[in-house]
Amino acid sequence: MKLVIVRHGETNWNREKRWQGQVDTELSDVGVEQAKETGKRLLDDNQCFDFVYASDLKRAFRTAETICESAGYDYDIRREPLFRERHLGILSGNTKSFCKAHMPDVVLNLNNVDYQLPKGESVRKFRERVAEGLNQLAFQHEGETILLVTHGGTVRVILHHIIGDKLDGPIHIENKCNRGDMV
């Protein structure tokens, strides 16, 4: 299976530095434009896909729709909740600065593999969920090319899974892509 992974476009909460987790936020106008540009770039690069998958959260699914519209693709986009962002529990909806000031212990333990975020998900459970989704894709789509539109945390988990990192530390892969860049 060949997997092309795209992170969803910008949301207002991204701009405000709010933790989203699994809160179902919409794309901003900039995010819609980013998705259009990504679709054009995929078309310019002659990318073809057998299937398109997206997280079932609006920001990822709408990015997938906009990419397909922009590139002229006619796909039935498959919604897959296994590729949702990590559930951030009580951090969701709050700015990072607010959480650091008012919930420092939670923020300090955020990347502890087995730390269960209050009303949220541990890193271990998040990684297991995403790995299950990858295994399902690999089993169902051997020899096919898949476009997957998902979230930043999910992209990092996928990359760690592919390179075989152990579950003994935080996920650190810096996003240095500029608008319109693809990795």
Side-chain angles (χ1 to χ4, degrees), residues 3 53-57 60 80-85 126 129-135 137 148-151 154 158:
L3 186 62
Y53 281 80
S55 157
D56 63 336
L57 297 177
E80 181 49 71
L82 292 172
F83 295 114
R84 283 181 168 204
E85 183 60 272
F126 178 40
R129 173 171 51 82
V130 173
E132 180 184 344
L134 285 174
N135 291 336
L137 287 183
L148 172 62
V149 182
T150 189
H151 308 273
T154 308
I158 290 169

Side-chain angles (χ1 to χ4, degrees), residues 54-70:
S55 157
D56 63 336
L57 297 177
K58 288 185 268 193
R59 59 192 183 268
F61 192 81
R62 182 67 181 125
T63 299
E65 287 180 321
T66 304
I67 287 171
C68 289
E69 290 166 9
S70 178

Side-chain angles (χ1 to χ4, degrees), residues 111-152:
N111 290 318
N112 179 324
V113 174
D114 290 311
Y115 177 71
Q116 179 67 45
L117 280 167
K119 300 183 182 179
E121 186 174 35
S122 71
V123 171
R124 184 177 306 279
K125 291 293 184 191
F126 178 40
R127 288 182 176 188
E128 288 171 354
R129 173 171 51 82
V130 173
E132 180 184 344
L134 285 174
N135 291 336
Q136 286 180 15
L137 287 183
F139 178 76
Q140 295 171 6
H141 299 291
E142 185 176 342
E144 295 177 318
T145 301
I146 306 299
L147 172 63
L148 172 62
V149 182
T150 189
H151 308 273

